[in-house]
Amino acid sequence: MELTGLSDLYNDFISEQHFISSVKDNIGIYDVNIYTVQMEEDIDLLEYILNNIYSGKDFLKRRGISISESLNTLRARIKSVKSMNKVDFFRLLCSALDDIKDSHLVFSLPYFKNIHQFCRHNTVYFADITLQKDSGGYFILSSQDSSVKCGERVIIEEDYLFRTVDGKFLYGVFSEKPIKTITCNITGEKVQLNVLPSPLRPIKNNDLWSHENCNGIDIVTIYSLCAFSVDEEQKLEELVALGKVLKESKKIILDLRGNRGGDSEIARRFIENLNGSAYMNLNYAKLNTQGSRLAEISLYAEDFDSYRKVKEEIFLDPVCKWQCSESNFICDGQYKNQLVVLTDRHTASSAEIMLKCIKDNIPQSVIIGENTSGTLSTGDIRHYYLPNSLIFLDVPTAIFADILEEGTGFCPDFWDKDDAMQSAIDFLSQKN
């Protein structure tokens, strides 16, 4: 990737009056419309940010996607109008870039309650039947679909089979778009089976995590790895300490369903305390530019004076490069007992890093549930906003290569469409 110095436009954008922490309180006072010249300026700025600071640009190139070409189409579209409602502009902007597939790239217009995540999750849609395998192939063991009967033979490809804890199989298909029926070849005839409704996400409480012991099984539910206060930071430190407490546990269920991520270091340290090691085989690179470093200090600077001082230092250093970390060797740690991890389509980001860390260090661990979100090709989010439309941008500045497929994530060892927790308990109950 070729990186250049900051443009004059971006230099103006990150001037002192755009220190993010100082404008949030007053950001709601502005016109609902945006004029053509303002739209053009915001598009220019967005193009600069995505072409010079967004770490996912290389992935887009491989897929034949050009940010500049997409935005040029938008520029041509707005030429004929004098002004536009900001919500309409937001939607046009997101639509112009909709070929991007990156769950960590998020645009939002908070005061109009609009948000766009550039992600299409590759979900498995299941029919309401269960299959069993015998010497003759597969047959329908149970069915809640009135169009098929138990005992009927099914001619099926392996890609449509999803193994459960009890050795049976679910019938389903991966799809990025919602589907209502699945075609199944039953006794030589093609039958349309209805798709089951999407499962509900687990209900969360106000805590970041919880721990209970149920009949000798330690159940740890981690709702989030993200702290927004000193109290929540302390709560996550208590989670890290819990890892040492669980070292002697014979059976653990770690519930990561609905966990959207947060601090991956909390995840790693918890596993390190549990297992004695938490080395991850990651190919990681962070895009280090003036723009990414300026956005970073705007998040963490305690006051305006400290922000201004560090900003001046950054302007003296025009470095634009990838900072790469070497992959760690997989290390077999000390925890040799049973560990089951529950996942669903909402398990994302640092929760997926936690899952990666578990699989690299505790190889006997078992995953039950659904495939995860697939939100881990990029990371290390930095925040920007476009000065005229006040569209907020969550822009990744790091890449994680060869970990998972964006939008598909990690697949479980055993699938469950109804009650993954009960399947995990049943699985562990069978173990000595």
Side-chain angles (χ1 to χ4, degrees):
M1 176 183 288
E2 295 183 1
L3 298 171
T4 60
L6 290 175
S7 67
D8 291 338
L9 176 64
Y10 194 72
N11 195 344
D12 292 338
F13 170 70
I14 49 101
S15 62
E16 292 179 357
Q17 61 266 30
H18 287 104
F19 177 51
I20 286 181
S21 296
S22 66
V23 302
K24 283 184 177 177
D25 293 338
N26 301 317
I27 203 167
I29 307 173
Y30 58 89
D31 293 334
V32 297
N33 291 325
I34 183 171
Y35 295 94
T36 302
V37 64
Q38 295 174 314
M39 289 188 279
E40 290 175 338
E41 184 175 283
D42 278 12
I43 292 171
D44 290 344
L45 180 55
L46 175 63
E47 181 178 18
Y48 185 84
I49 291 172
L50 294 182
N51 279 329
N52 293 276
I53 300 169
Y54 173 44
S55 59
K57 184 187 173 186
D58 282 3
F59 289 132
L60 301 184
K61 279 185 177 180
R62 296 175 197 171
R63 295 171 52 207
I65 298 173
S66 168
I67 291 170
S68 295
E69 289 179 7
S70 299
L71 292 178
N72 282 338
T73 302
L74 178 61
R75 287 187 179 98
R77 188 167 181 176
I78 65 172
K79 285 288 186 182
S80 60
V81 298
K82 293 183 178 180
S83 66
M84 184 181 297
N85 183 283
K86 288 184 178 178
V87 174
D88 293 333
F89 175 62
F90 174 82
R91 290 171 178 168
L92 284 175
L93 192 63
C94 295
S95 177
L97 298 169
D98 200 44
D99 285 339
I100 297 176
K101 187 177 179 181
D102 185 341
S103 304
H104 271 134
L105 182 67
V106 180
F107 294 176
S108 59
L109 199 58
Y111 286 87
F112 290 110
K113 299 181 180 180
N114 281 264
I115 187 167
H116 185 88
Q117 186 175 26
F118 291 85
C119 168
R120 291 176 291 277
H121 182 57
N122 201 17
T123 300
V124 179
Y125 291 86
F126 292 108
D128 204 357
I129 60 174
T130 303
L131 305 178
Q132 181 76 57
K133 185 176 183 179
D134 62 12
S135 58
Y138 296 91
F139 65 92
I140 298 175
L141 180 67
S142 63
S143 171
Q144 300 299 320
D145 194 310
S146 59
S147 61
V148 295
K149 298 179 180 179
C150 295
E152 291 184 310
R153 289 286 168 179
V154 176
I155 301 173
I156 192 169
E157 297 179 13
E158 295 291 328
D159 289 345
Y160 293 84
L161 293 173
F162 298 85
R163 189 178 181 88
T164 63
V165 167
D166 57 6
K168 301 179 179 63
F169 296 89
L170 304 176
Y171 180 71
V173 59
F174 274 104
S175 177
E176 289 184 349
K177 297 181 179 179
I179 59 175
K180 295 182 178 179
T181 61
I182 307 174
T183 302
C184 185
N185 191 329
I186 301 176
T187 61
E189 294 184 6
K190 292 185 177 180
V191 178
Q192 294 295 319
L193 302 179
N194 293 325
V195 167
L196 289 169
S198 298
L200 297 175
R201 295 175 63 177
I203 298 174
K204 294 187 177 183
N205 57 27
N206 294 325
D207 293 328
L208 294 174
W209 61 272
S210 63
H211 171 225
E212 61 179 321
N213 187 282
C214 180
N215 297 325
I217 300 175
D218 284 290
I219 301 175
V220 181
T221 302
I222 306 179
Y223 303 103
S224 175
L225 293 164
C226 189
F228 293 101
S229 67
V230 174
D231 288 343
E232 289 183 340
E233 289 175 358
Q234 179 59 38
K235 184 69 175 177
L236 288 179
E237 287 298 326
E238 292 170 6
L239 172 65
V240 171
L242 179 65
K244 287 186 177 181
V245 177
L246 296 175
K247 288 179 68 172
E248 303 303 320
S249 177
K250 299 298 182 182
K251 298 177 181 181
I252 299 174
I253 295 175
L254 183 62
D255 191 352
L256 297 180
R257 292 175 298 171
N259 189 321
R260 288 291 189 177
D263 188 348
S264 57
E265 185 62 12
I266 294 292
R268 190 198 65 78
R269 289 168 57 208
F270 171 83
I271 301 303
E272 185 174 51
N273 279 346
L274 172 68
N275 187 56
S277 69
Y279 298 104
M280 287 186 286
N281 190 18
L282 292 177
N283 293 318
Y284 168 84
K286 182 177 181 179
L287 190 55
N288 186 340
T289 70
Q290 285 179 321
S292 65
R293 282 177 282 150
L294 286 164
E296 185 172 11
I297 64 168
S298 72
L299 288 177
Y300 300 114
E302 295 181 357
D303 54 62
F304 182 75
D305 288 338
S306 62
Y307 168 79
R308 182 168 51 189
K309 180 179 179 180
V310 177
K311 188 188 76 170
E312 291 171 354
E313 295 174 356
I314 290 175
F315 273 130
L316 296 176
D317 182 10
V319 63
C320 299
K321 65 180 180 180
W322 285 103
Q323 290 180 315
C324 302
S325 64
E326 297 182 359
S327 298
N328 291 309
F329 292 102
I330 298 175
C331 180
D332 188 11
Q334 301 168 4
Y335 188 77
K336 304 298 183 182
N337 296 320
Q338 297 296 320
L339 173 61
V340 174
V341 186
L342 306 186
T343 62
D344 66 5
R345 66 193 66 183
H346 306 291
T347 304
S349 193
S350 294
E352 291 177 291
I353 288 183
M354 189 174 201
L355 188 60
K356 167 70 173 173
C357 187
I358 290 170
K359 296 303 289 184
D360 282 352
N361 291 272
I362 309 177
Q364 77 274 18
S365 61
V366 171
I367 305 171
I368 297 176
E370 294 183 299
N371 63 302
T372 62
S373 175
T375 309
L376 200 55
S377 293
T378 63
D380 282 8
I381 311 302
R382 297 293 172 257
H383 304 281
Y384 309 84
Y385 73 93
L386 305 182
N388 298 303
S389 60
L390 296 181
I391 294 173
F392 276 81
L393 313 174
D394 294 351
V395 180
T397 61
I399 57 173
F400 301 87
D402 306 322
I403 296 179
L404 48 70
E405 182 180 348
E406 186 74 15
T408 298
F410 295 101
C411 288
D413 299 296
F414 301 106
W415 294 78
D416 191 291
K417 60 181 175 59
D418 297 316
D419 190 347
M421 179 63 74
Q422 188 59 53
S423 289
I425 293 173
D426 293 343
F427 176 83
L428 290 176
S429 297
Q430 298 169 7
K431 302 293 181 179
N432 294 328

